[in-house]
């Protein structure tokens, strides 16, 4: 599927927001789903890069990505300008699933992990849920989407690794503190970020008996279930599941992170 | 233009087929195109029992290619027969069952069972699997075990063409091609992946949990073309050319080297619609090259 680049906006050092319009609307998207992007027309880098869908129109006629320049592929994406074309397939995978009964939701996001919550957090807040967003970044300057979450009516708590804003430390340490101080634990935790962070969030949530959904970032060759390269180990079983098809969002108790 | 080919009795609408391990059991690609548009496909390697596969990480990108150590994860013969075949029988495309075992007995038992399944058009033996009785070296890298396992399967496969998929990790692939032909193989698939490794310099250890993996993609194409060339010189049975095919030109290159048909692997991951696309582009390219059929170009590069 060819997409037209509508805009490429720098966010903070090393991060940018791409806005894309597919030739034909992609259809319904669930936050947490991802697309596979071809970074160039030649064969090096060869494989498509997975990217979570960030903000989007309900019919998929426009969607955004929050990208961190991590290597060659994302480096190429960073140079895109308005009017360029991009080869995208998707959306793929299973997104977050917030049950009606969950009245209070704790969202934990690190780095580009804010992407799936750009649409989800406002939707949950608008639906009358009590939404806490815990944002982690290296420094104050690296914080992403704080305004957007505040604007959506969420309670935003910030952690920076250098202490330049909010809690001085990791967002998972902040999560531990929050859980200790809350009169009533949240009904559900949702997280997106690097693997180490997902592991820590899952452990904290399990200790507090809170159902928790995490998004995994395993390397992917295809993104649609054909290569079996992206799998995660099912907890307590001698069995693997594809992250691209059964995930990337899993109940934290389902798989080894 | 008619671009159909006959591969040892397997009728292929066109000479572009999905390679094993990159095409699932076919059905994964139904969301991208109508499977009846393609020549056929090879299933993920099947074993008697289902297999969980290797620990992760299993894949890693390389220059114009990738490494994989999936560990032959598959649903197993029973589930393939009961869950996948009923759907596949309804689709007008050639289904080639790729299979492997860890002992000669496992290979033969599986070959006999697959030979009896209605709707399977051909069998493709993956002999790159470790031989547990011989210290784990791949069947396909030892000429004697290759001969033994191909002969054993040949003796039980009565109904369908038996194709042997050769390992490229040998000194002289034409020796292996000859021994397969002499042992009764009806065709060859050339090549499987080349063994490779990538090291994570920050962790000071291989990226793949398995250490080594199989290299595939455009990076291996010239190696594969040359091996098809060598096998074509060595045997009379038809050859599937495999290795890094990414365009209609690449298809023609393999055919001129001696392939009767080709298989596309890794590029399906990048462009899931590539097989029908290549089949569609092929007639125009053949015309430009002054050819009226695929068959007349088979081995064309060998002629003076
Ligand atoms: C479901 C999913 C959703 C995702 N969503 C997002 C998103 O919304 N935004 C986003 O920015 N990212 C996202 N990612 C991650 C993103 O896909 C990767 O960051 C991207 O693929 C990197 O591609 P690249 O070509 O830029 O980097 P690469 O060139 O592939 O390099 C990646 C990293 O590996 C290092 N590296 C390479 N070779 C070696 C070696 N031999 N030894 C040691 N280190 C090495 C590089 O230095 C670099 O740090 C997501 C991933 C998944 C699976
Ligand atoms: C992820 C992956 C899994 C594979 N699994 C199998 C397999 O189960 N059986 C087999 O015979 N070959 C397997 N192969 C090898 C391919 O069928 C093919 O021979 C090889 O990848 C070269 O072709 P390509 O460069 O077009 O990918 C696999 C390849 C890849 C990339
Ligand atoms: S990325 Fe290929 S199966 Fe998940």
């Amino acid at each position: 599927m060819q997409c037209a680049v509508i805009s490429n906006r720098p966010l903070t050092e090393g991060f940018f927001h791409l806005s894309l319009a597919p030739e034909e609307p992609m259809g319904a998207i669930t936050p947490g789903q991802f697309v596979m992007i071809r970074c160039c027309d030649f064969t090096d880098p060869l494989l498509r890069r997975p990217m979570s869908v960030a903000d989007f129109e309900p019919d998929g006629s426009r969607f955004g990505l929050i990208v961190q320049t991590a290597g060659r592929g994302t480096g190429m994406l960073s140079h895109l300008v308005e009017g360029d074309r991009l080869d995208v397939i998707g959306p793929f995978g299973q997104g977050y699933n917030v049950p009606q009964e969950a009245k209070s939701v704790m969202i934990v996001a690190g780095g580009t992990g804010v992407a799936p919550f750009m649409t989800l957090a406002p939707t949950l807040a608008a639906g009358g849920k009590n939404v806490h967003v815990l944002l982690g970044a290296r420094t104050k300057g690296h914080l992403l989407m704080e305004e957007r979450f505040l604007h959506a009516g969420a309670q935003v708590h910030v952690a920076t690794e250098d202490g330049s804003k909010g809690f001085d430390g990791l967002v998972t340490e902040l999560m531990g503190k929050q859980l200790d101080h809350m009169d009533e634990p949240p009904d559900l935790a949702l997280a997106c970020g690097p693997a180490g962070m997902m592991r820590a969030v899952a452990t904290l949530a399990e200790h507090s008996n809170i159902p928790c959904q995490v998004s995994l970032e395993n390397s992917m060759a295809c993104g649609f279930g054909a290569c079996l390269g992206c799998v995660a180990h099912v907890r307590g079983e001698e069995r693997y599941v594809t992250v691209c098809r059964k995930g990337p969002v899993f109940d934290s108790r389902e798989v080894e992170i | 233009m008619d671009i159909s080919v006959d591969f040892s009795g397997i009728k292929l609408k066109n000479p572009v087929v999905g390679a094993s391990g990159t095409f699932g059991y076919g059905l994964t690609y139904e969301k991208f195109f109508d499977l009846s548009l393609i020549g056929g496909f090879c299933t993920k390697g099947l074993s008697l029992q289902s297999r969980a596969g290797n620990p992760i990480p299993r894949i890693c990108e390389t220059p114009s290619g990738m490494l994989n150590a999936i560990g032959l994860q598959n649903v197993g013969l029973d589930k393939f027969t009961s869950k996948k075949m009923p759907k596949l029988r309804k689709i007008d495309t050639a289904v080639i069952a790729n299979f492997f075992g860890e002992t000669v007995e496992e290979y033969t038992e599986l070959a006999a069972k697959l030979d009896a399944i209605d709707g399977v058009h051909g069998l493709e033996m993956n002999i790159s699997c470790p031989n547990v009785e011989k210290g784990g070296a791949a069947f396909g890298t030892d000429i004697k075990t290759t001969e033994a396992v191909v002969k054993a399967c040949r003796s039980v496969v009565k109904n369908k063409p038996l194709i042997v998929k050769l390992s490229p990790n040998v000194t002289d692939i034409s020796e292996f091609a000859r021994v397969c032909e002499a042992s009764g193989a009806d065709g060859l698939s050339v090549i499987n992946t080349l063994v490779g490794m990538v090291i994570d310099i920050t962790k000071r250890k291989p990226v793949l949990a398995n250490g080594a993996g199989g290299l595939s993609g455009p990076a291996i194409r010239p190696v594969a073309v040359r091996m098809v060339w060598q096998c074509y010189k060595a045997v009379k049975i038809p050859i599937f050319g495999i290795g890094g095919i990414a365009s209609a030109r690449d298809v023609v290159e393999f055919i001129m080297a001696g392939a009767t048909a080709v298989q596309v692997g890794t590029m399906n991951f990048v462009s899931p619609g590539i097989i029908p696309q290549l089949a569609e582009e092929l007639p125009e390219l053949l015309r430009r090259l002054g050819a009226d059929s695929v068959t007349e170009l088979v081995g064309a590069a060998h002629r003076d």
Side-chain angles (χ1 to χ4, degrees):
Chain A
M1 177 176 67
Q2 290 293 322
C3 291
V5 176
I6 301 174
S7 67
N8 179 356
R9 236 165 11 94
L11 295 171
T12 160
E13 184 201 321
F15 293 83
F16 54 98
H17 178 270
L18 276 179
S19 184
L20 303 169
E23 255 164 17
E24 280 165 36
M26 287 206 299
I29 296 165
T30 310
Q33 284 192 302
F34 64 97
V35 289
M36 293 293 286
I37 313 256
R38 191 147 186 207
C39 299
C40 66
D41 293 336
F42 19 96
T43 59
D44 189 25
L46 179 70
L47 301 172
R48 288 175 184 268
R49 298 313 196 234
M51 291 288 154
S52 301
V53 177
D55 49 320
F56 59 88
E57 295 301 322
D59 64 351
S61 58
R62 192 207 62 81
F63 64 96
L65 306 173
I66 294 183
V67 188
Q68 176 170 25
T69 309
R72 293 178 60 215
T74 47
M76 288 172 172
L77 298 181
S78 72
H79 298 302
L80 289 170
V81 295
E82 184 187 339
D84 282 347
R85 307 190 71 72
L86 199 60
D87 179 352
V88 177
I89 55 176
F92 295 132
Q94 313 299 321
Y96 295 93
N97 175 15
V98 181
Q100 206 62 48
E101 320 78 84
K103 294 280 173 271
S104 63
V105 179
M106 176 180 274
I107 289 170
V108 190
T112 59
V114 296
F117 305 119
M118 276 180 71
T119 307
L120 185 56
T123 310
L124 295 178
K129 297 194 193 301
N130 182 7
V131 181
H132 288 266
V133 179
L134 279 57
L135 284 182
R138 238 169 46 229
T139 72
K140 179 179 166 190
H142 288 91
L143 277 167
L144 295 172
M145 301 299 148
E146 187 186 359
E147 283 299 314
R148 186 179 175 106
F149 293 127
L150 282 169
H151 210 81
Q155 299 181 53
V156 182
H157 316 268
V158 165
T160 53
E161 285 169 44
D162 70 345
S164 49
K165 185 167 185 183
F167 177 81
D168 184 352
L170 297 173
V171 71
T172 45
E173 294 167 343
L174 173 62
M175 176 183 174
K177 286 225 162 5
Q178 287 284 327
L179 289 177
D180 289 345
H181 290 140
M182 283 168 118
D183 299 332
E184 230 171 272
D187 299 324
L188 178 67
L190 308 174
C192 187
M197 178 186 147
M198 292 304 96
R199 217 171 291 130
V201 170
T203 309
L204 285 169
E206 276 165 46
H207 279 306
S208 305
N209 256 321
I210 304 165
C212 175
Q213 295 170 24
V214 295
S215 182
L216 302 187
E217 291 201 350
N218 295 23
S219 11
M220 296 182 173
C222 69
F224 51 84
C227 73
L228 305 180
C230 65
V231 297
H233 198 272
V234 177
R235 270 220 220 165
E237 287 179 48
E238 226 4 89
R239 195 164 69 83
Y240 294 93
V241 284
T242 49
V243 170
C244 66
R245 259 224 299 226
K246 304 288 177 185
V249 177
F250 289 96
D251 184 303
S252 66
R253 284 159 300 193
E254 199 181 331
V255 289
E256 277 169 23
I257 305 166
Chain B
M1 188 189 297
D2 179 18
I3 55 165
S4 65
V5 298
D6 183 313
F7 191 100
S8 246
I10 307 175
K11 302 270 181 292
L12 302 173
K13 239 175 266 181
N14 64 65
V16 199
V17 167
S20 176
T22 67
F23 218 74
Y25 307 94
L27 306 162
T28 319
Y29 284 83
E30 274 189 317
K31 60 174 166 286
F32 300 111
F33 55 84
D34 175 359
L35 286 173
S36 69
L37 292 174
I38 69 174
F41 71 90
C42 301
T43 65
K44 176 72 195 159
L46 296 162
S47 48
L48 284 170
Q49 259 70 52
S50 68
R51 284 189 33 151
N54 281 338
I56 51 176
R58 291 178 170 185
I59 51 168
C60 168
E61 194 180 43
T62 61
S64 294
M66 64 178 280
L67 280 183
N68 89 79
I70 306 299
L72 297 166
Q73 176 178 339
N74 78 96
V75 297
L77 178 70
D78 290 346
K79 209 161 162 195
F80 171 72
T81 314
S82 63
K83 295 264 159 60
K84 311 289 178 186
M85 276 316 295
K87 290 180 189 151
L88 293 174
R89 271 188 208 105
K90 298 200 183 99
I91 300 165
D92 178 24
T93 196
V95 178
I96 300 171
N98 181 288
F99 69 102
F100 67 93
E102 286 180 338
T103 62
V104 173
E105 288 65 39
E106 277 179 28
Y107 268 103
T108 36
E109 185 178 345
L110 203 46
K113 286 182 167 159
L114 289 168
D115 192 42
I117 298 178
D118 179 37
V120 168
H121 297 73
L123 273 56
E124 182 180 61
M125 281 178 79
N126 173 8
I127 55 169
S128 297
C129 187
N131 181 349
V132 293
E133 290 166 333
K134 290 269 161 67
F139 282 90
T141 54
D142 181 277
I143 199 90
K144 286 268 173 326
T145 42
T146 297
E147 183 175 21
V149 74
V150 174
K151 275 195 171 144
C153 287
R154 174 72 283 169
S155 69
V156 298
V157 176
K158 313 266 193 241
N159 307 309
K160 305 186 204 291
L162 178 66
I163 302 160
V164 183
K165 184 162 180 180
L166 299 184
S167 165
N169 304 303
V170 294
T171 309
D172 179 7
I173 200 164
S174 49
E175 249 189 275
F176 288 81
R178 261 185 236 108
V179 110
C180 288
E181 185 179 47
S183 306
D186 299 311
L188 299 176
S189 289
V190 181
I191 57 177
N192 212 317
T193 53
L194 290 149
V195 179
M197 183 181 281
V198 171
I199 289 173
D200 183 324
I201 58 170
T202 57
K203 294 184 185 147
R204 305 186 182 201
K205 56 176 198 178
V207 171
L208 300 183
N210 188 55
L215 182 64
S216 65
I220 71 168
R221 193 190 309 134
V223 177
V225 169
R226 193 263 185 161
M227 287 186 165
V228 168
W229 169 282
Q230 287 178 293
C231 291
Y232 182 76
K233 273 205 179 319
V235 299
K236 296 271 179 298
I237 50 177
I239 299 166
F240 269 120
I242 320 168
I245 292 174
S247 72
R249 291 177 55 136
D250 304 339
V251 174
V252 171
E253 198 184 344
F254 273 96
I255 290 169
M256 289 183 173
T260 294
V262 301
Q263 295 180 13
V264 178
T266 303
M267 286 308 290
N268 289 305
F269 302 154
V270 181
S271 308
I274 190 168
I275 297 186
Q277 185 197 325
L278 297 185
E280 197 185 312
E281 290 171 3
L282 199 56
E284 174 56 25
L285 179 57
L286 294 179
R287 223 171 273 127
R288 274 199 279 136
L289 296 168
D292 297 320
S293 70
V294 172
T295 323
E296 69 178 89
L297 289 183
V298 176
H302 292 262
R303 293 168 213 139
D304 297 324

